[in-house]
């Protein structure tokens, strides 16, 4: 129960990305004061790091209704609803104007380092729920501050904590020492410096989702240019090959996603890439020339590569929430009531059920993980779902449980999957990750007929997406 003194405090929102700013707009609509703490120097700092990637969700699907109302008095007009923004477009044309409209309710360069209750660590029961939250953060100069809050909405996402190359979920041996030749992001090959890093080189791409397919397709595009002669990709899959490995192709209900899979497959068919299946990376070593050699858990060593692109998904950073009592699923690290609804083994982005404050609640009342953070390690998140989450939470904080419990989310029949895709065309989803039982490693070329050595992949969830 919120006391009169606590009710006067702001709700702290961690992260000024799409969902964090939408949370602030929803709170303002409820006459609740938000305070948004953004670790980066600008709104949407994480989104700006993939500015070169085009979403395959349209503008009509990535603008929150309450945020649009807040922006209306400023003269802001939503871009063409049928157009597909890039990450840079989303940040510059929507997130930054929204942050500007929120004014001093957004603190930039404010990194949250801990959340607790005054005088009570996670062990203490007495009077716990009567206390506000205590949020510690550091500023750009390293100075420490803290603020009291009536509730905390963590929309900090998972971008800062990508999965490792190691097949066990831990960094492979030597992975950290080889960091100068490893990236965990889809490279921007339109950047001349980045382009030079991969041109004419042999690059391993580790991952089984659309980010990996994006990287593979664009390495193939680079190989077709004069400066990129000799560029070659090696797609490393933790599982085997099946007919659905590269998606549904022309039969995909989301055409952009199908086009991405077809482009990745074409990279292999045209000889610009090869595929290694059933390979779980155990170690990253250097040969006599300084190139990287990947070793599997079964001892198999692959031919040396110059660069490695690791695209194995993301995971939540929960360290600064350690003094709070969170209820998280042991597999996905998502709220326990939400986890069964978003299990990527069962759901794609189009089949995730709408959910709100009840599914997002924890044993610690008043704290909520939202957006990608709420999905833990599941890759099926989309922006519209996040906007529905924070609308419900804002209503619950305001005490309007009838509204908070009401489902107000309608998805297109095919789902609306946001995420990484082809840089200069409407793009596909960004589901990354492997998992499952790994079959014997095999090197295969995909053509009209796969060699008999190709092994069958375990059934795929299909259609998982990131945003």
């Amino acid at each position: 129960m919120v006391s009169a003194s606590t009710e006067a405090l702001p709700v702290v929102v961690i992260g000024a990305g799409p969902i964090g700013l939408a949370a602030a707009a929803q709170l303002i609509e409820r006459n609740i004061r938000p305070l948004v703490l953004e670790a980066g120097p600008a709104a949407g700092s994480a989104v700006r790091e993939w500015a070169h990637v085009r979403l395959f969700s349209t503008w009509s699907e990535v603008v929150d209704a309450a945020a649009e109302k807040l922006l209306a008095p400023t003269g802001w007009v939503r871009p063409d609803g049928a157009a597909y923004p890039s990450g840079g477009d989303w940040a510059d044309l929507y997130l930054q104007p929204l942050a500007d409209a929120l004014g001093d309710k957004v603190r930039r360069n404010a990194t949250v380092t801990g959340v607790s209750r005054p005088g009570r660590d996670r062990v203490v029961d007495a009077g716990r729920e009567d206390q506000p939250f205590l949020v510690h953060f550091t500023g750009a100069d390293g100075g420490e501050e803290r603020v009291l809050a009536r509730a905390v909405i963590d929309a900090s996402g998972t971008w800062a904590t990508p999965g490792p190359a190691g097949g066990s979920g831990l960094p492979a041996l030597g992975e950290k020492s080889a960091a100068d030749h490893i990236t965990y992001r889809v490279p921007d090959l339109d950047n001349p410096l980045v382009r030079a890093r991969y041109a004419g080189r042999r690059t391993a791409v580790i991952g089984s989702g659309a980010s990996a397919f994006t990287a593979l397709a664009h390495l193939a595009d680079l190989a077709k240019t004069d400066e990129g002669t000799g560029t070659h990709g090696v797609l490393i899959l933790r599982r085997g090959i099946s007919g659905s490995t590269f998606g549904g192709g022309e039969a995909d209900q989301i055409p952009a996603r199908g086009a991405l899979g077809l482009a990745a497959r074409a990279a292999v068919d045209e000889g610009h890439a090869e595929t290694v299946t059933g390979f779980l990376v155990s170690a990253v070593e250097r040969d006599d020339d300084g190139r990287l050699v990947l070793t599997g858990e079964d001892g198999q060593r692959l031919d040396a590569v110059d660069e490695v692109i690791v695209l194995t998904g993301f995971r939540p950073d929960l360290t600064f929430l350690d003094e709070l009592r969170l209820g998280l699923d042991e597999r996905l690290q998502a709220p326990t009531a939400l986890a069964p609804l978003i299990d990527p083994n069962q759901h794609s982005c189009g089949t995730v059920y709408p959910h709100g404050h009840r599914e997002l609640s924890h044993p610690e009342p008043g704290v909520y993980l939202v957006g990608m953070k709420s999905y833990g390690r599941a890759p099926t998140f989309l922006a519209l779902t996040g906007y529905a989450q924070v609308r419900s939470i804002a209503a619950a904080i305001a005490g309007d449980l009838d509204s908070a419990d009401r489902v107000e989310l309608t998805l297109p029949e095919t789902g609306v999957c946001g995420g990484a895709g082809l840089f200069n065309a409407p793009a596909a989803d960004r589901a990354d990750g492997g998992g499952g039982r790994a079959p014997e490693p095999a090197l295969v070329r995909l053509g009209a007929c796969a060699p008999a050595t190709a092994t069958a992949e375990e059934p795929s969830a299909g259609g998982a997406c990131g945003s």
Side-chain angles (χ1 to χ4, degrees):
M1 180 175 295
V2 178
S3 66
S5 58
T6 301
E7 189 173 354
L9 297 173
V11 171
V12 165
V13 179
I14 305 173
I19 309 307
L21 293 177
Q26 292 286 350
L27 290 166
I28 288 174
E29 196 167 72
R30 293 280 180 172
N31 295 314
I32 298 172
R33 179 165 57 100
L35 174 61
V36 182
L37 300 178
E38 165 59 41
S45 291
V47 174
R48 293 175 189 279
E49 292 192 28
W50 49 270
H52 57 291
V53 176
R54 191 170 299 280
L55 292 132
F56 63 90
S57 295
T58 63
W59 272 111
S60 65
E61 298 153 353
V62 296
V63 174
D64 174 67
E68 192 163 9
K69 289 180 185 177
L70 190 64
L71 282 165
T74 70
W76 184 84
V77 177
R78 186 176 66 189
D80 179 4
Y84 294 85
S86 66
D89 295 334
W90 204 14
D92 291 338
L93 303 181
Y94 170 60
L95 300 179
Q96 191 58 57
L98 180 54
D100 292 342
L102 288 165
D104 61 5
K105 297 178 180 65
V106 178
R107 289 277 304 269
R108 299 165 181 81
N109 297 305
T111 301
V112 175
T113 58
V115 183
S116 186
R117 304 269 193 179
R120 289 160 177 80
D121 61 20
R122 66 184 297 165
V123 176
V124 178
D125 290 331
R128 187 176 191 85
E129 294 184 18
D130 297 329
Q131 295 296 314
F133 290 94
L134 187 63
V135 181
H136 285 240
F137 61 97
T138 58
D141 60 357
E144 297 179 287
E145 299 182 53
R146 63 184 181 183
V147 64
L148 295 175
R150 64 183 288 186
V152 174
I153 300 175
D154 182 0
S156 59
T158 57
W159 179 255
T161 47
S168 63
L170 301 174
L173 297 175
E175 181 174 343
K176 293 181 179 179
S177 62
D180 55 333
H181 289 286
I182 299 178
T183 183
Y184 299 85
R185 310 287 188 242
V186 175
D188 180 4
L189 296 184
D190 287 336
N191 181 316
L193 293 177
V194 176
R195 195 175 181 87
R197 175 175 175 175
Y198 297 96
R201 306 288 181 86
R202 180 178 170 88
T203 299
V205 180
I206 304 174
S208 61
S211 286
F213 299 160
T214 298
L216 197 72
H218 282 277
L219 288 172
D221 287 343
L222 178 57
K224 299 172 186 177
T225 67
D226 291 340
E227 65 180 305
T229 300
T231 303
H232 192 77
V234 182
L235 179 64
I236 297 177
L237 301 171
R238 292 173 176 172
R239 295 181 289 181
I241 287 288
S242 75
S244 63
T245 294
F246 288 95
E250 294 178 356
D252 199 310
Q253 288 185 309
I254 303 175
R257 180 175 61 191
L260 177 59
L262 291 173
R265 178 164 184 155
V268 178
D269 291 344
E270 294 169 3
H272 300 301
E274 62 196 55
T275 307
V276 177
T277 67
F279 191 88
L280 300 174
V281 179
S282 175
V284 181
E285 304 169 1
R286 291 185 188 267
D287 66 9
D288 293 340
D289 297 324
R291 302 176 77 204
L292 303 184
V293 176
L294 303 181
T295 301
E297 292 188 354
D298 63 351
Q300 180 186 11
R301 290 164 61 87
L302 301 183
D303 292 341
V305 297
D306 301 288
E307 300 288 338
V308 178
I309 302 172
V310 180
L311 299 167
T312 57
F314 296 85
R315 54 189 58 180
D317 176 11
L318 301 166
T319 55
F320 61 87
L321 301 176
D322 195 48
E323 292 305 319
L324 299 179
R325 298 174 178 181
L326 302 181
L328 298 174
D329 178 74
E330 67 275 8
R331 293 178 304 128
L332 298 182
Q333 294 179 295
T336 51
L338 176 60
L341 307 181
I342 61 173
D343 185 343
N345 295 298
Q346 303 294 329
H347 298 285
S348 73
C349 48
T351 64
V352 170
Y353 300 108
H355 53 273
H357 74 109
R358 295 195 186 277
E359 292 83 1
L360 296 167
S361 294
H362 293 273
E364 188 87 58
V367 61
Y368 303 94
L369 277 58
V370 300
M372 277 299 299
K373 188 70 170 279
S374 72
Y375 272 46
R377 299 192 183 201
T380 49
F381 175 76
L382 59 147
L384 282 177
T385 299
Y387 296 156
Q389 288 179 342
V390 295
R391 185 209 62 80
S392 172
I393 289 169
I397 293 173
D400 184 358
L401 294 185
D402 287 342
S403 177
D405 289 337
R406 205 161 48 236
V407 174
E408 295 184 7
L409 173 64
T410 302
L411 300 178
E413 291 181 4
T414 56
V416 182
C417 311
L422 299 177
F423 299 142
N424 298 313
D429 54 20
R430 194 183 64 182
D432 301 301
R437 179 185 57 81
E440 293 298 317
L443 176 62
V444 301
R445 288 185 52 78
L446 299 180
C449 300
T453 55
T455 54
E457 184 182 24
E458 293 181 46
S460 170
C465 2
S467 179

